Amino acid sequence: MLTCKFAPVGNHFRVESLPRVVKQGEVYPISVLEPKSLKSIYVEFQGVRFPLAFSKQNGTYEGLIGIDMDTQPSTYEMKIITKDGGSDIHLSNLSLKVEKVDFGIQKLSLPSSMVDLDRKTLERVNKEERRLNSLFLAFREERLWRGAFICPVEGELSGAFGFRRIINGQRRSPHTGVDLRVKEGTPVLACNSGIVALVKPLFFSGKSVILDHGWGFYSMYFHLSEVLAKEGNRVGKGAIMGRVGSTGRSTGPHLHWGIKMNGARVDPLSLLNLKVHRLMSSRHPPTGF
Ligand SMILES: [Zn+2]
């Protein structure tokens, strides 16, 4: 069994020169060297814009791109875009290869009341889903996250990201986060700085906290026994959001930790120990773009 340990709380990414290959459901860190001072710079991937911020330490524009777990394996074009007045200026087009992942299958047996939902429960679940979907559509222009992300608890990985789940013999939606088995009552830490976007008991997720980290990035903490976060509050990296529990559809105390980046469902573990891929240099232009 893998263990998710606290990642070091660094302030900067490590910049390395790596190939432009990423796996389904991974976070792709990007660093762009651009000599001009730009007010705004984005990477557009599959029609979705991911902003970049200037790093004084590295002298580059840096950011993170979320690759959804269901992105078709293929080679895609990323556009590096800046704005001049109201209009877009393409600085460069770069290719990014997305590789297939065999996420595997998880078979679970749960009480039928948690799987075969009656009409009233189904209405509740649908309403909660709509609420979450509209929450994730909101894009905060301000970037609240800084530097490295940390693991919210130190626990054993009991449910991997991306599992195609078969519950009581029926095919269900995939697992869009990681399950970390850990003692009930263990404090759950904010993986980065943000604003508490939602505190709510949800049918499947139990007592839940969702953080908005800005730039369309959200983190989720589910099945808590107790919530300590307050909706609307700003929280720092490492702040206690609540305590580990087994509320909602859960078979024992664990934390479900999920990440959404501009709609992309990504593996939270791929956010830890990120290395930035240096992609463009106008001083030393790489070949093969
Ligand atoms: Zn889970």
Side-chain angles (χ1 to χ4, degrees):
M1 272 291 181
L2 285 166
T3 303
C4 176
K5 289 204 182 289
F6 289 113
V9 187
N11 286 319
H12 300 281
F13 304 125
R14 281 171 290 162
V15 178
E16 292 193 359
S17 184
L18 290 166
R20 295 190 302 279
V21 178
V22 66
K23 290 189 166 64
Q24 290 174 311
E26 271 189 356
V27 176
Y28 189 75
I30 183 168
S31 160
V32 173
L33 186 61
E34 172 58 43
K36 283 185 284 219
S37 172
L38 301 171
K39 263 196 202 146
S40 59
I41 176 167
Y42 310 90
V43 176
E44 192 176 294
F45 178 78
Q46 289 276 278
V48 180
R49 288 190 177 187
F50 294 87
L52 305 180
F54 187 71
S55 158
K56 270 189 193 162
Q57 191 196 348
N58 300 326
T60 52
Y61 293 90
E62 298 181 350
L64 304 172
I65 302 171
I67 308 296
D68 187 75
M69 65 198 301
D70 281 339
T71 306
Q72 281 299 314
S74 184
T75 299
Y76 294 90
E77 201 145 82
M78 293 187 289
K79 293 176 186 163
I80 313 288
I81 296 168
T82 185
K83 273 195 182 291
D84 185 15
S87 48
D88 289 350
I89 298 173
H90 284 203
L91 295 172
S92 184
N93 279 357
L94 308 168
S95 65
L96 179 68
K97 188 180 176 195
V98 177
E99 289 182 338
K100 189 175 168 50
V101 175
D102 180 7
F103 289 111
I105 290 171
Q106 186 186 37
K107 288 182 180 170
L108 290 171
S109 293
L110 292 169
S112 68
S113 61
M114 289 305 250
V115 182
D116 306 309
L117 309 180
D118 59 51
R119 200 173 57 87
K120 211 173 150 208
T121 311
L122 198 62
E123 271 172 23
R124 178 188 167 184
V125 166
N126 289 339
K127 196 176 159 200
E128 289 175 354
E129 206 174 290
R130 285 196 298 274
R131 171 88 176 82
L132 293 191
N133 287 340
S134 68
L135 181 90
F136 295 133
L137 282 178
F139 183 94
R140 187 182 293 276
E141 296 286 344
E142 186 189 2
R143 178 176 64 118
L144 302 171
W145 57 273
R146 287 287 181 276
F149 284 71
I150 62 167
C151 199
V153 293
E154 198 168 313
E156 190 185 310
L157 184 66
S158 57
F161 174 83
F163 270 147
R164 308 292 147 163
R165 289 186 296 190
I166 296 175
I167 302 175
N168 297 357
Q170 299 172 45
R171 213 179 159 85
R172 296 284 165 162
S173 53
H175 192 226
T176 55
V178 287
D179 292 336
L180 301 166
R181 186 161 36 209
V182 62
K183 231 175 72 201
E184 173 130 13
T186 304
V188 173
L189 313 183
C191 66
N192 212 317
S193 307
I195 289 177
V196 182
L198 187 87
V199 170
K200 203 174 166 53
L202 302 170
F203 180 77
F204 285 132
S205 315
K207 291 183 184 174
S208 305
V209 173
I210 298 180
L211 292 185
D212 176 356
H213 300 287
W215 280 8
F217 297 2
Y218 292 88
S219 61
M220 289 154 259
Y221 311 85
F222 292 165
H223 310 299
L224 305 177
S225 60
E226 186 189 357
V227 169
L228 298 166
K230 289 205 167 52
E231 223 171 87
N233 278 6
R234 278 188 182 240
V235 293
K237 190 186 316 195
I240 299 177
M241 300 291 91
R243 296 187 184 281
V244 169
S246 187
T247 54
R249 190 166 75 178
S250 167
T251 51
H254 76 284
L255 174 71
H256 173 104
W257 178 32
I259 298 282
K260 268 218 171 180
M261 297 171 69
N262 286 322
R265 300 157 299 171
V266 298
D267 185 349
L269 300 186
S270 79
L271 264 177
L272 306 176
N273 297 315
L274 286 170
K275 292 173 183 174
V276 169
H277 303 195
R278 185 184 288 257
L279 282 192
M280 191 168 71
S281 158
S282 33
R283 272 178 268 169
H284 308 287
T287 53
F289 284 163

